[in-house]
Amino acid sequence: MAPTGLDPLCWLCLLPYAPSTASLANLRAAYEPGLRQVLKKASQFSSRSQSTTLDIALVYEEHSSSGGSDVGLDYTHLQKLLGLMYRLICIICTTESIDMEYENDVDARVMFFNAKEDSRNTTQEHGKSSQPRSPLIPFEALALCPKPWKLICFLENQNGQILRKDFLQARDKSPHAATEHFDIEGVAGGVSTRTSSQKSLSEASSLQDDCKRHSSVAVGGTFDHLHAGHKLLLTMTALLVNLDEKSASSGRSLTVGITGDELLKKKQYADQLQNWYERQAAVQGFLLGILQMSLPTDTLKSSQRMSNPDTGARAVRQEFESGLVINYVELFDPFGPTITDESISALVISGETRSGGQAVNDKREAQGWSLLAVLEVDVLNAEIRDDSAPNRIDENYEGKISSTEIRRRLHNRAAVEH
């Protein structure tokens, strides 16, 4: 996707293969020294009005869940790994006092990409390929992405240096290479617990076979003051959308239901609630940031603000040259488009709203429609302890994953300032 209102200060941190076993301890050993260094530096360039955007791209090897020609999605393992990465980032930011409260917050965004050897079928011409398209970011697409990264960081270990060499060689082929300027910085490499790109047998065999991609996927939420839990939910939703060119003829869509303002008036610290268009813009900015790396040559064809004449519900519809459509729809009830749009085939929810997924399918079944594939993401709770500073994590961690806590802090700050 061509640049669309990108943040003026945007950095990239590339991480080699994740540990064979996904655990917080293993991720800390592999990535914490480098991530801590990058996050601390990025926070120094943030301000109250503008946070530094830090794209964190992690190499991941996928496996077909169906065993056939289709490239499926290791959904269960991916969402666990993504959740652990955001937990690690939140722990680092908490211990380093990186937060909007100190006007040095960092907008960290984690995504996965294929290793170079796994994406050789991807061509540079409009992202076309004769092979089924991976749900992850192809290596070449990431390297050729037009995002104006000001700093690109790599780990200073063997795997990090190999990744640096391959990435910069591919980046040199970008049509923007002659005019762009970015700095390169090595950061502390952690202890690698993985020497190959293969998952452990137990991990690979545990992958669920419910991970096929869908042409029409939905997700819903309040999305107030976008935080790590929202990013996890939105990223896994985007990964479920089938971006294969062969699926374009039947239409590809991502529907985001965003709770209407009227339903939020009784929320705690409602004076700090973002209005619907502010929340929609935050979700849009995050999704486009991810999709731009996956579809670097795609461009926005049209963007329309609409309003339902019967209900007054607001909506934004964005259509891209590739045929992908993203619909942002105002919600007045727990169901939204999932019971009015029969073409939606999958719904992504957080573990705490599991009953909502069942309620949607009960409604669809009553209408004689196919049931949705309902996929969950883990809840990022505030009970995570960091052995080096357990009390501080328990006290402040919630401010990274709770919209209510974010509003409380903003409310208190506003009270002091006035």
Side-chain angles (χ1 to χ4, degrees):
M1 293 185 177
T4 52
L6 294 173
D7 295 332
L9 190 58
C10 187
W11 293 5
L12 173 66
C13 181
L14 289 166
L15 301 177
Y17 282 110
S20 297
T21 301
S23 71
L24 185 59
N26 284 344
L27 291 181
R28 294 190 71 169
Y31 301 136
E32 183 173 6
L35 282 177
R36 186 176 294 273
Q37 188 175 337
V38 176
L39 285 163
K40 286 175 66 176
K41 183 168 184 175
S43 71
Q44 297 171 10
F45 290 84
S46 294
S47 66
R48 182 169 185 171
S49 60
Q50 181 66 62
S51 297
T52 302
T53 297
L54 177 62
D55 291 327
I56 300 171
L58 173 62
V59 180
Y60 184 88
E61 183 188 26
E62 62 201 338
H63 294 261
S64 173
S65 61
S66 62
S69 60
D70 179 46
V71 180
L73 181 68
D74 298 346
Y75 183 92
T76 302
H77 182 255
L78 270 175
Q79 75 87 20
K80 178 182 178 181
L81 179 59
L82 185 63
L84 288 172
M85 285 296 296
Y86 274 120
R87 286 166 66 180
L88 174 57
I89 291 167
C90 290
I91 287 173
I92 293 172
C93 288
T94 300
T95 57
E96 295 294 341
S97 297
I98 299 172
D99 190 84
M100 75 171 120
E101 184 174 351
Y102 309 108
E103 301 182 4
N104 67 347
D105 208 10
V106 176
D107 182 6
R109 306 172 177 189
V110 183
M111 63 283 299
F112 302 104
F113 70 99
N114 285 325
K116 184 177 181 181
E117 61 269 25
D118 292 330
S119 56
R120 59 172 59 100
N121 289 320
T122 303
T123 66
Q124 298 176 17
E125 181 183 358
H126 306 297
K128 294 181 180 180
S129 171
S130 59
Q131 302 296 321
R133 195 197 184 290
S134 162
L136 306 185
I137 300 170
F139 178 84
E140 289 86 351
L142 179 65
L144 299 178
C145 177
K147 291 188 84 168
W149 291 303
K150 303 299 183 183
L151 179 69
I152 300 180
C153 301
F154 304 86
L155 296 191
E156 289 183 326
N157 55 26
Q158 183 178 2
N159 289 336
Q161 292 307 304
I162 293 172
L163 182 57
R164 167 181 173 153
K165 178 183 176 182
D166 290 343
F167 181 84
L168 293 179
Q169 285 180 346
R171 187 77 175 177
D172 283 341
K173 301 175 184 177
S174 166
H176 313 284
T179 58
E180 74 172 354
H181 172 75
F182 56 85
D183 294 323
I184 302 168
E185 184 170 317
V187 297
V191 178
S192 176
T193 58
R194 183 177 189 149
T195 57
S196 74
S197 63
Q198 297 300 312
K199 291 186 179 71
S200 65
L201 290 177
S202 61
E203 185 176 70
S205 63
S206 69
L207 296 175
Q208 294 183 0
D209 199 18
D210 59 357
C211 309
K212 76 170 186 176
R213 292 171 292 160
H214 296 259
S215 294
S216 184
V217 183
V219 66
T222 300
F223 300 111
D224 185 45
H225 297 286
L226 203 72
H227 56 65
H230 298 140
K231 294 174 182 179
L232 170 60
L233 188 65
L234 291 168
T235 300
M236 294 312 302
T237 302
L239 284 173
L240 276 175
V241 180
N242 190 346
L243 297 178
D244 278 349
E245 295 209 2
K246 64 183 181 181
S247 71
S249 59
S250 60
R252 297 171 293 177
S253 66
L254 195 167
T255 300
V256 184
I258 303 174
T259 308
D261 296 336
E262 289 296 317
L263 298 183
L264 304 178
K265 288 183 176 181
K266 294 184 179 180
K267 288 277 189 180
Q268 286 183 285
Y269 310 105
D271 60 306
Q272 295 299 325
L273 275 164
Q274 295 175 311
N275 66 44
W276 190 87
Y277 279 117
E278 288 175 322
R279 291 180 281 125
Q280 183 273 325
V283 172
Q284 173 182 308
F286 180 80
L287 284 176
L288 293 188
I290 292 177
L291 292 170
Q292 183 188 22
M293 285 181 278
S294 188
L295 299 169
T297 61
D298 202 2
T299 55
L300 183 62
K301 185 177 178 181
S302 65
S303 182
Q304 286 182 289
R305 283 190 176 189
M306 300 176 289
S307 179
N308 187 307
D310 297 323
T311 64
R314 292 166 287 188
V316 175
R317 174 185 171 88
Q318 294 186 317
E319 186 174 350
F320 297 86
E321 292 291 345
S322 65
L324 174 66
V325 174
I326 304 180
N327 294 305
Y328 306 91
V329 182
E330 185 173 13
L331 296 180
F332 292 137
D333 58 55
F335 305 104
T338 58
I339 61 170
T340 60
D341 183 352
E342 188 176 2
S343 69
I344 295 174
S345 58
L347 174 66
V348 182
I349 61 174
S350 63
E352 60 190 358
T353 59
R354 184 175 302 150
S355 60
Q358 183 59 53
V360 166
N361 272 336
D362 289 344
K363 289 273 190 179
R364 289 179 68 95
E365 185 175 31
Q367 296 175 187
W369 292 2
S370 299
L371 302 186
L372 299 180
V374 180
L375 296 104
E376 292 184 17
V377 300
D378 293 336
V379 177
L380 298 184
N381 60 62
E383 299 177 356
I384 303 166
R385 286 185 173 270
D386 175 29
D387 293 337
S388 64
N391 294 330
R392 191 174 186 190
I393 291 297
D394 283 344
E395 179 182 350
N396 296 328
Y397 184 92
E398 190 175 2
K400 301 294 181 186
I401 58 172
S402 166
S403 296
T404 301
E405 176 62 15
I406 293 172
R407 292 196 303 272
R408 185 190 69 81
R409 292 186 177 190
L410 291 172
H411 175 86
N412 290 346
R413 184 168 74 181
V416 171
E417 292 176 348
H418 291 87

